[in-house]
Amino acid sequence: MRFFGHSGSRVKGLVFCSSKVEAKELSDAFNTKGTYRTIALTGEDSQEKREDAIARLAGSGDYEVLRRDEQLDYIFTVDIFNEGVDIPEVNQVIMLRQTESPIVFIQQLGRGLRKFEDKEYVVILDFIGNYSNSYMIPLALSGDRSYNKDTLRKYVQSGNRIIPGKSTHHFLIKIKEKDYQVNFDVTQEQMLHYISQKLATGMRVRDLLALQFLLNGSEAILFDVEQELKSKYNNVLSELGKVNLVNILMNEFAVSGDAIKFKDCLFIKMNGSDYAISDEFKKALINEDFKNHIQQLIDLGVDRYKDMYMGVKLDNNPFALYEKYNYEQVCQLLEWPKNQIAQNIGGYKFDEATKTYPVFINYHKGDDVQDSIKYEDQFESQTLIKAISKNNRYLRSKDVNTAINADSLGVSMHLFVRKNKDDKESKEFYYLGTIHSTGKENARLIGYQQILM
């Protein structure tokens, strides 16, 4: 406890114990030794006693000056401070209780995450070593409070990759966050939001390289990105990829509401046959705080790419198996010149320029679909799926013919699956890999002019 210390003039700690007996015995032991002043609180104690203990720990009210010698260093507690208690002065949290609940874990950790004028950071000490649940730490620090089962599953699968450099065998973290004021104008806020939401996911590194070159003053973004991709990542920037990258950095990739929402997100402008930093982005970067935030987002995105995508993508495939993607991310990674709204995709869409054909399947149809046309896409085996075309299609229809003859036409088809379109937890699809038609002989017409392939 002394070794890891605390932020502030004195320690103000909460200790979460596993039982009332443990809390009382530990508090007595600390007090007997005389190094710290502590108290044990349980559900048996009155509200008045709890409030007085909090005031003593925080050093507020009479305990700030008049009764300073009665201030507490630690409160040992069982459950009662998990939630509903606001003690921003807490600068050390000690966990002696094993918990299987990420909600309880986050609540306990959150007791120390409030900012306070005399606290630069909070020290979290977990003496349990609950390695199998170490995913709860990045979940707590991620800010995600949805407790979405898919999100939880991803944290479990990702392990310590979520916090780069943190070993699961070192189950304690020192969290430091400077308390400073920053002010951004509307354009700067838009740019930060755009980069955070669309580029810093780490799914593709070229966008982040472009931003880095812009910060470094490059006058030929496409050339520099192309060279860096080839030399450092063994990746090729195609001509279609250049168009896609330019459109993303000039907000010409976006459609519908996003095009309006991010109308000021113009990061580049024409510079001869290449591109350089836009006047808008250059002006925004005059603010050093803004520039620092952009650099942090770039670093975060590159780390995510290296940790989560770089080593798991197949050759010439922009997607990672079993990761989740939304419609926009699929269009972006397939290097389409513009995004497509879900209604225009309608289950699948062929892009002639890139010769790519993503297929999106809702495995369970909604209740609003008429029974007469509720034909189920279904897996026949681990390697075979029956897929249904859009309405009013025949074997001679262009999209059907392209799907059936995709291999001979050089078309790359990708399969994305989610439970159903009404899933309130997620609007993303799991990527299951490339798919290939079994041939025209296995396709047939079913009701309402649909093709079963």
Side-chain angles (χ1 to χ4, degrees):
M1 291 161 61
R2 287 179 177 173
F3 177 82
F4 289 100
H6 58 273
S7 174
S9 56
R10 66 179 182 87
V11 66
K12 303 169 187 177
L14 283 181
V15 184
F16 292 97
C17 302
S18 60
S19 68
K20 298 174 184 177
V21 173
E22 181 183 58
K24 291 177 180 178
E25 288 184 352
L26 285 174
S27 179
D28 290 343
F30 271 63
N31 292 334
T32 300
K33 191 171 183 179
T35 306
Y36 298 104
R37 289 186 295 269
T38 75
I39 191 174
L41 291 179
T42 71
E44 298 173 353
D45 295 305
S46 66
Q47 184 63 30
E48 290 75 16
K49 183 176 181 180
R50 299 180 196 180
E51 292 176 356
D52 182 69
I54 292 172
R56 292 175 64 187
L57 182 71
S60 59
D62 291 343
Y63 298 105
E64 183 175 3
V65 178
L66 297 178
R67 303 172 67 181
R68 179 174 300 192
D69 58 342
E70 297 179 47
Q71 290 178 351
L72 292 174
D73 299 306
Y74 290 98
I75 294 178
F76 291 81
T77 180
V78 184
D79 292 334
I80 60 174
F81 283 169
N82 285 358
E83 58 180 329
V85 176
D86 185 23
I87 318 174
E89 295 88 349
V90 169
N91 53 25
Q92 193 179 97
V93 175
I94 299 176
M95 297 182 178
L96 302 178
R97 169 195 168 177
Q98 186 172 5
T99 177
E100 299 295 329
S101 168
I103 298 177
V104 171
F105 181 91
I106 293 168
Q107 289 171 342
Q108 292 179 354
L109 183 60
R111 296 311 99 204
L113 294 181
R114 285 291 308 279
K115 291 183 180 181
F116 186 67
E117 57 186 9
D118 190 36
K119 181 175 71 176
E120 183 183 357
Y121 57 88
V122 61
V123 173
I124 311 294
L125 302 177
D126 190 320
F127 288 93
I128 298 302
N130 190 1
Y131 306 137
S132 64
N133 290 327
S134 61
Y135 72 92
M136 291 189 291
I137 288 181
L139 175 59
L141 300 182
S142 72
D144 191 320
R145 298 296 180 267
S146 66
Y147 310 117
N148 179 323
K149 61 186 179 183
D150 283 334
T151 301
L152 293 174
R153 185 184 302 114
K154 184 172 183 178
Y155 281 117
V156 173
Q157 294 171 339
S158 299
N160 67 323
R161 290 185 299 154
I162 300 295
I163 302 181
K166 295 294 186 292
S167 169
T168 54
H169 293 90
H170 294 84
F171 203 62
L172 52 87
I173 295 177
K174 196 168 189 177
I175 307 164
K176 295 186 177 182
E177 181 179 357
K178 291 184 178 179
D179 188 5
Y180 56 87
Q181 296 293 325
V182 294
N183 295 298
F184 300 133
D185 60 30
V186 174
T187 298
Q188 290 167 334
E189 288 180 353
Q190 276 189 18
M191 289 180 170
L192 286 169
H193 187 185
Y194 185 90
I195 295 172
S196 300
Q197 185 182 93
K198 302 182 182 300
L199 307 183
T201 60
M203 292 181 180
R204 192 171 73 175
V205 74
R206 70 180 63 164
D207 314 286
L208 301 162
L209 295 179
L211 289 173
Q212 188 65 67
F213 281 122
L214 290 174
L215 261 61
N216 296 343
S218 170
E219 296 291 326
I221 294 301
L222 294 181
F223 176 81
D224 288 336
V225 170
E226 185 175 18
Q227 296 302 309
E228 185 82 353
L229 275 177
K230 185 177 181 180
S231 62
K232 198 169 182 178
Y233 296 93
N234 193 30
N235 209 326
V236 176
L237 182 62
S238 66
E239 292 303 312
L240 292 171
K242 292 178 182 179
V243 173
N244 172 267
L245 177 60
V246 167
N247 287 351
I248 286 173
L249 295 178
M250 296 187 73
N251 195 33
E252 293 181 1
F253 177 78
V255 294
S256 190
D258 270 5
I260 299 173
K261 180 179 179 180
F262 297 110
K263 60 182 176 62
D264 295 325
C265 292
L266 308 175
F267 299 97
I268 58 175
K269 66 178 181 180
M270 282 288 296
N271 185 33
S273 61
D274 211 309
Y275 292 82
I277 189 169
S278 69
D279 296 335
E280 294 86 352
F281 195 31
K282 182 183 291 186
K283 180 180 177 181
L285 289 172
I286 295 174
N287 184 324
E288 285 297 321
D289 287 327
F290 174 75
K291 185 175 182 178
N292 289 336
H293 275 63
I294 296 295
Q295 186 63 65
Q296 290 173 24
L297 285 172
I298 294 172
D299 294 341
L300 172 64
V302 172
D303 283 343
R304 283 175 169 172
Y305 174 75
K306 291 179 178 179
D307 289 339
M308 301 174 65
Y309 298 98
M310 184 176 178
V312 297
K313 289 185 177 181
L314 304 175
D315 291 341
N316 300 316
N317 191 329
F319 306 107
L321 277 174
Y322 315 127
E323 287 293 335
K324 295 172 73 175
Y325 301 89
N326 59 36
Y327 288 114
E328 181 179 8
Q329 290 163 346
V330 171
C331 296
Q332 178 181 347
L333 294 173
L334 288 177
E335 300 183 341
W336 291 7
K338 289 190 76 69
N339 186 23
Q340 298 289 322
I341 60 175
Q343 291 90 327
N344 290 344
I345 293 176
Y348 57 81
K349 188 172 180 63
F350 171 56
D351 182 72
E352 292 193 45
T354 60
K355 286 194 172 183
T356 54
Y357 199 134
V359 178
F360 301 89
I361 289 180
N362 298 301
Y363 201 64
H364 297 297
K365 301 297 183 285
D367 294 334
D368 58 335
V369 178
Q370 299 176 28
D371 290 336
S372 59
I373 60 174
K374 192 185 287 186
Y375 299 102
E376 298 285 354
D377 302 292
Q378 64 183 54
F379 284 97
E380 296 290 290
S381 68
Q382 290 185 344
T383 59
L384 183 64
I385 185 172
K386 286 184 177 180
I388 313 299
S389 74
K390 300 175 183 178
N391 289 336
N392 301 316
R393 294 298 193 273
Y394 300 91
L395 288 173
R396 64 178 180 274
S397 299
K398 184 175 181 179
D399 56 348
V400 174
N401 186 63
T402 300
I404 292 174
N405 298 289
D407 288 345
S408 62
L409 294 172
V411 174
S412 180
M413 298 185 71
H414 299 269
L415 178 62
F416 300 84
V417 176
R418 67 180 174 188
K419 183 178 179 181
N420 60 67
K421 68 176 183 179
D422 296 320
D423 187 350
K424 295 296 189 294
E425 293 180 352
S426 175
K427 296 301 180 184
E428 301 170 309
F429 296 78
Y430 288 99
Y431 178 61
L432 299 188
T434 56
I435 54 176
H436 308 270
S437 171
T438 59
K440 184 176 181 180
E441 63 274 13
N442 293 311
R444 60 186 176 86
L445 182 67
I446 57 177
Y448 283 83
Q449 291 86 44
Q450 290 180 302
I451 302 297
L452 175 66
M453 295 180 284

